Amino acid sequence: MPVATTNKMTGAKMVMEAFKEERVEVVFGYPGGAVLFIYDEIYKQNYFNHILTRHEQAALHAADGYARASGKVGVAIITSGPGFTNAVTGIATAYTDSVPLVVISGQVPITQIGTDAFQEIDAVGISRPCTKHNYLVKNIKELPRILKEAFYIARSGRPGPVLIDLPKDISATLGEFDYPKDIRLVTYKPTMKGNARQITKLKDAINDSKKPLFYIGGGAVISNAYSEIRELIKLTNIPAIETLMARGICGDTNPLFFGMAGMHGSYASNMAISECDLLISLGARFDDRITGKLSEFAKNAKIAHIDIDPSSISKIVNANYPIVGDLKNVIKELLNILGDYDKTKTKKWLETLESYKKKHHFCYQDSDKILKPQWVIEKIAQMTDANAIISTDVGQHQMWVAQFYKFMQPREFLTSGGLGTMGFGLPAAIGAKIAQKKKYSINISGDGSIMMNIQELITCIQSGIPVINVILNNNYLGMVRQWQTFFYEKRYSNVDLTCQPNFVKLVESFGGIGFEVKTKKEFEKALKEAMNSNKVSLLDVKIDRMESVFPMVPSGGAIYNMMLN
Amino acid sequence: MKKRRIISVTVLNEHSVLSRISGLFAGRGYNIESLTVAPLQNSELSRITIVTSGDEKVFEQIVKQLHKLIPVLSVIEDEDLIEKETILAKIPIDQSISDIDALCKAYNGGIANANDKYIILTITDNPNRIDCFIKAIKQFKPKEIIRSGVIAIEQH
């Protein structure tokens, strides 16, 4: 006689089982009172690795870096109250850049919710504006469905973080674990396929255009559309530019690529936007750092906008050819119907852009006396042979990386584009290294940014993650200082960082290796040692203090009015 | 040009769904003139009626952003709507009851209750007529007027 079986288990165990079903490889987190049952189950399981960070914000950024580098869903677990509030910056960073995350936060027991209990906070309320969706689990019966939905919502459509706030008593309650095979969300059905008639209209517009331009955004990375985009560019001979979030899509040596656009974009790309007659946005959302003064943005052009998120279309710039759908699908469809496109049509337009490229390209005054940050970045690209994932924090160093590193593939550049989060780089590099073990994971940071999550060096040591940290150290909050130089008559208010730790001793105290670098020779030697060490390392690179990022479009100015040097 | 608009949103009855809707308006700086909400009969859905104002671009964003929320089933932006609003008003008992009753009847309402101090009256009508009623009832020195917000249904 068959023995009756039951799949009753605690809520905490259900979380483990759901992770197994979703093939989660790694979880980043930090334990606490409200997630003790979950961490007890983590101790018992052997499906995934758990990386213990030293701050909840870093757990989120690490999960985010893993997701960006792998294309999979990143997972983080944090406790209630301060654990959750510490994580909010990481959640918001992922939300702004559409990164798929599932975040489990502990919550006080259901019976204590609303009583101002110890470590109680309204996590669902706080995270509402910065999550794609969030749940408070009030009944163990709902938990399997919620877990399934969370992964589905996080990765589908326009991806984003999904929070599950799990009260402690629910994580200890027994229930049936019937993990749904299918999703039955009647209210959530992202549009994957573009409207055929609209795509045909876009094809006709491309055929009629004399100066078309592809404007590629982060959606191209998310949709994994880069091979289709390269094919489209090649087939049509239409020039292309990228946003910060799309770096690597075209491949920087592609002759039809004219650089990153925007506030610190290339002269050629900003002039291309200003002079084109058809601007085709492929997953870009017209951020104010790109558009500059809106009334002057692409004012000679018809706008085509392909985006999976209908609310992005015509939000900032009115689209003449709006297409809602997954970018990869839409481009495939466009390629099918383009037919015998006359690729010689863009010859003159390309010549014009080529002349702009020659006239003003990214350049700097190199020196043998003092290290230039641009030289350092070029050297990193050269020495790693582009076999690296570069993460950054936010500031001058971020823009120099975007300008001077040769990105050849997507998912090689991890940066907080939308929210501009300092402290992102090191933990994101931890996640990236786990996702792409064969590549070097290099965090290029500033001396201001690195301090925001420097404690994560110990996470690297404990978990054996050899991240290379290159600090471009100018003893300043460099970008703020640059703005104060140009727009606040050199009133350098609170940007001086000459009081610093000894970064070399600091990384050594964590158990890593450190180098103080003042010359080109020292840099090459240090980077080589760091690359060969298989340990966490930090290069404190003393750069020219007053170096600025150029070109620069003053905030709110027209993008064709660039300060070139 | 700013215009008054009515949006009817059908949502799943789940935890904090109303705050998701109102939070969207607050977070993005959209205006809410009135908001009414109640469960729909025999279902797990609720209907939220929002009166808002803005130009075409703002209105388009409101509709798109509402669609983006996971528990939102539908967003109705039909202009051919029947809309109704209810008010309850408290009038001192020393006023002319017959005059008040006549006024209420003219606005599809009546006296709901009376006690030793106040007459409580109610009317349900479209918002423009409600405005008129409020002006008219002022002569009877109302102690308190409570306005419900709009509910609306599409005509077809």
Side-chain angles (χ1 to χ4, degrees):
Chain A
M1 196 174 161
V3 179
T5 57
T6 176
N7 54 355
K8 272 202 166 183
M9 60 181 76
T10 64
K13 175 80 170 152
M14 285 182 189
V15 173
M16 302 301 111
E17 289 298 308
F19 286 178
K20 190 179 178 186
E21 293 278 344
E22 299 294 337
R23 299 182 184 179
V24 171
E25 299 167 324
V26 60
V27 170
F28 303 87
Y30 201 101
V35 283
L36 278 171
F37 290 111
I38 296 175
Y39 270 85
D40 195 43
E41 290 298 335
I42 289 175
Y43 187 84
K44 295 176 201 164
Q45 63 78 41
N46 55 8
Y47 319 139
F48 58 84
N49 285 326
H50 179 276
I51 305 293
L52 173 67
T53 58
R54 292 303 191 272
H55 193 287
E56 288 87 353
Q57 182 188 345
L60 266 293
H61 290 327
D64 177 321
Y66 171 83
R68 290 186 205 227
S70 68
K72 298 173 186 171
V73 177
V75 179
I77 299 175
I78 50 183
T79 194
S80 65
F84 169 76
T85 52
N86 278 348
V88 171
T89 300
I91 295 171
T93 302
Y95 179 71
T96 317
D97 287 342
S98 307
V99 178
L101 295 185
V102 168
V103 184
I104 312 260
S105 56
Q107 182 55 277
V108 299
I110 290 273
T111 49
Q112 291 180 24
I113 290 178
T115 65
D116 298 330
F118 176 66
Q119 293 194 332
E120 183 195 355
I121 197 85
D122 175 12
V124 166
I126 289 174
S127 66
R128 196 171 296 124
C130 60
T131 49
K132 185 173 174 187
H133 194 49
N134 57 18
Y135 299 90
L136 171 65
V137 187
K138 296 177 95 174
N139 188 324
I140 189 70
K141 287 181 187 167
E142 298 171 343
L143 185 56
R145 172 186 62 82
I146 287 173
L147 285 159
K148 178 79 179 180
E149 284 179 8
F151 277 92
Y152 175 69
I153 291 170
R155 70 163 75 92
S156 59
R158 179 178 180 170
V162 178
L163 174 81
I164 302 175
D165 198 32
L166 186 57
K168 187 173 181 179
D169 50 348
I170 302 280
S171 69
T173 303
L174 285 172
E176 295 280 341
F177 183 70
D178 290 320
Y179 201 61
K181 281 198 168 54
D182 303 309
I183 294 289
R184 280 190 292 268
L185 271 167
V186 289
T187 57
Y188 175 69
K189 290 186 177 102
T191 306
M192 299 303 286
K193 206 171 174 305
N195 179 290
R197 200 186 300 168
Q198 286 296 94
I199 298 173
T200 305
K201 277 188 189 169
L202 173 59
K203 180 208 75 173
D204 294 342
I206 291 173
N207 279 325
D208 293 344
S209 161
K210 289 187 174 66
K211 294 177 175 178
L213 180 68
F214 289 126
Y215 160 56
I216 305 166
V221 180
I222 294 165
S223 147
N224 289 315
Y226 80 101
S227 56
E228 286 78 9
I229 288 176
R230 286 184 186 187
E231 193 184 336
L232 184 64
I233 293 170
K234 195 174 168 191
L235 185 80
T236 57
N237 230 23
I238 291 175
I241 57 171
E242 291 171 353
T243 67
L244 180 76
M245 296 305 293
R247 295 291 289 113
I249 288 283
C250 293
D252 283 4
T253 52
N254 188 329
L256 291 164
F257 175 58
F258 288 88
M260 179 180 75
M263 183 176 273
H264 297 293
S266 70
Y267 178 80
S269 66
N270 285 357
M271 293 310 289
I273 290 175
S274 304
E275 293 181 11
C276 69
D277 64 3
L278 177 66
L279 183 72
I280 308 159
S281 165
L282 308 176
R285 61 183 176 86
F286 299 90
D287 185 282
D288 56 277
R289 284 293 189 268
I290 293 280
T291 62
K293 190 177 181 183
L294 260 182
S295 57
E296 294 298 306
F297 178 77
K299 65 178 182 182
N300 302 313
K302 295 260 173 133
I303 308 285
H305 192 170
I306 306 167
D307 205 300
I308 199 160
D309 178 2
S311 69
S312 276
I313 293 175
S314 295
K315 183 166 66 177
I316 296 159
V317 173
N318 281 332
N320 306 91
Y321 305 98
I323 300 174
V324 178
D326 176 67
L327 189 59
K328 193 181 179 90
N329 291 342
V330 173
I331 296 176
K332 274 184 182 170
E333 197 58 38
L334 189 60
L335 284 167
N336 282 341
I337 61 169
L338 260 175
D340 50 350
Y341 178 82
D342 176 12
K343 63 193 291 183
T344 60
K345 278 196 333 185
T346 55
K347 191 168 175 283
K348 212 172 163 192
W349 172 224
L350 286 169
E351 282 170 4
T352 305
L353 296 184
E354 202 57 52
S355 72
Y356 291 151
K357 202 180 196 176
K358 279 186 187 142
K359 192 172 166 193
H360 298 292
H361 52 87
F362 291 131
C363 61
Y364 61 97
Q365 194 76 45
D366 198 11
S367 164
D368 287 328
K369 288 182 184 153
I370 188 154
L371 275 172
K372 295 289 185 156
Q374 302 91 334
W375 179 90
V376 172
I377 287 156
E378 286 178 338
K379 198 44 123 182
I380 295 170
Q382 187 194 332
M383 287 179 67
T384 56
D385 197 18
N387 184 33
I389 297 183
I390 305 294
S391 62
T392 71
D393 281 304
V394 172
Q396 286 182 313
H397 68 275
Q398 179 190 31
M399 290 301 124
W400 284 319
V401 170
Q403 291 176 338
F404 288 92
Y405 193 91
K406 288 275 174 276
F407 289 103
M408 300 306 291
Q409 301 290 337
R411 302 192 186 280
E412 284 182 347
F413 180 42
L414 314 184
T415 197
S416 168
L419 198 65
T421 307
M422 292 170 77
F424 173 82
L426 171 52
I430 292 172
K433 184 65 186 175
I434 293 167
Q436 301 280 352
K437 292 184 180 64
K438 289 180 182 165
K439 290 188 173 182
Y440 296 107
S441 183
I442 303 179
N443 167 38
I444 301 178
S445 187
D447 49 314
S449 285
I450 191 72
M451 292 298 285
M452 289 221 173
N453 267 318
I454 200 160
Q455 76 285 345
E456 297 310 315
L457 289 171
I458 200 69
T459 303
C460 298
I461 297 290
Q462 179 167 345
S463 298
I465 302 165
V467 168
I468 300 169
N469 295 278
V470 177
I471 303 177
L472 299 178
N473 189 345
N474 56 9
N475 297 104
Y476 268 134
L477 283 177
M479 191 59 97
V480 184
R481 194 271 303 152
Q482 179 169 335
W483 279 56
Q484 288 173 342
T485 302
F486 298 129
F487 309 119
Y488 295 87
E489 296 171 330
K490 299 186 182 178
R491 291 187 295 275
Y492 295 134
S493 176
N494 290 283
V495 287
D496 188 297
L497 299 180
T498 40
C499 181
Q500 287 185 332
N502 181 324
F503 284 112
V504 173
K505 282 187 179 169
L506 191 140
V507 70
E508 284 171 355
S509 77
F510 279 120
I513 53 172
F515 309 87
E516 188 177 89
V517 175
K518 287 180 178 160
T519 66
K520 288 180 174 176
K521 207 172 168 185
E522 282 173 359
F523 180 79
E524 288 179 68
K525 187 169 176 282
L527 185 59
K528 204 171 176 184
E529 271 190 54
M531 285 164 63
N532 292 333
S533 70
N534 210 29
K535 275 187 176 177
V536 65
S537 56
L538 187 150
L539 283 65
D540 179 11
V541 184
K542 311 290 189 191
I543 59 163
D544 186 346
R545 256 201 119 188
M546 297 307 286
E547 191 72 18
S548 290
V549 182
F550 290 111
M552 179 182 191
V553 178
S555 184
I559 56 163
Y560 50 78
N561 281 334
M562 284 161 273
M563 294 163 67
L564 293 164
N565 49 54
Chain B
M1 199 181 85
K2 263 198 165 187
K3 271 187 173 174
R4 176 181 176 273
R5 299 281 194 154
I6 298 174
I7 306 169
S8 294
V9 191
T10 306
V11 297
L12 295 176
N13 284 338
E14 61 174 45
H15 174 74
S16 75
V17 64
L18 182 59
S19 58
R20 280 185 210 286
I21 305 282
S22 57
L24 169 72
F25 277 73
R28 293 185 178 266
Y30 306 140
N31 180 41
I32 294 182
E33 280 178 17
S34 82
L35 183 149
T36 54
V37 57
L40 286 173
Q41 289 284 304
N42 306 319
S43 77
E44 294 180 337
L45 303 170
S46 279
R47 171 95 161 211
I48 300 173
T49 309
I50 303 161
V51 181
T52 182
S53 59
D55 59 20
E56 286 300 326
K57 204 171 165 63
V58 166
F59 187 65
E60 185 185 335
Q61 268 301 305
I62 290 174
V63 172
K64 283 177 173 174
Q65 295 290 347
L66 283 169
H67 269 297
K68 219 168 131 175
L69 296 177
I70 306 285
V72 170
L73 183 68
S74 66
V75 181
I76 297 168
E77 42 180 316
D78 197 333
E79 287 190 356
D80 191 13
L81 294 164
I82 290 283
E83 49 177 306
K84 292 289 175 193
E85 207 174 332
T86 294
I87 68 165
L88 290 165
K90 201 188 267 183
I91 313 284
I93 194 77
D94 58 2
Q95 299 292 321
S96 165
I97 294 181
S98 57
D99 287 355
I100 292 168
D101 191 42
L103 183 64
C104 288
K105 284 202 167 101
Y107 285 92
N108 303 315
I111 293 173
N113 202 7
N115 56 35
D116 58 335
K117 284 186 178 165
Y118 298 109
I119 305 160
I120 310 291
L121 57 88
T122 175
I123 65 154
T124 300
D125 214 320
N126 71 50
N128 286 339
R129 281 175 54 84
I130 293 271
D131 289 340
C132 293
F133 178 81
I134 288 171
K135 280 181 193 160
I137 202 70
K138 286 225 165 121
Q139 62 179 299
F140 299 106
K141 301 184 174 55
K143 164 89 171 145
E144 200 176 350
I145 299 175
I146 306 293
R147 197 166 175 162
S148 70
V150 169
I151 55 166
I153 194 163
E154 53 279 25
Q155 303 230 40
H156 300 287

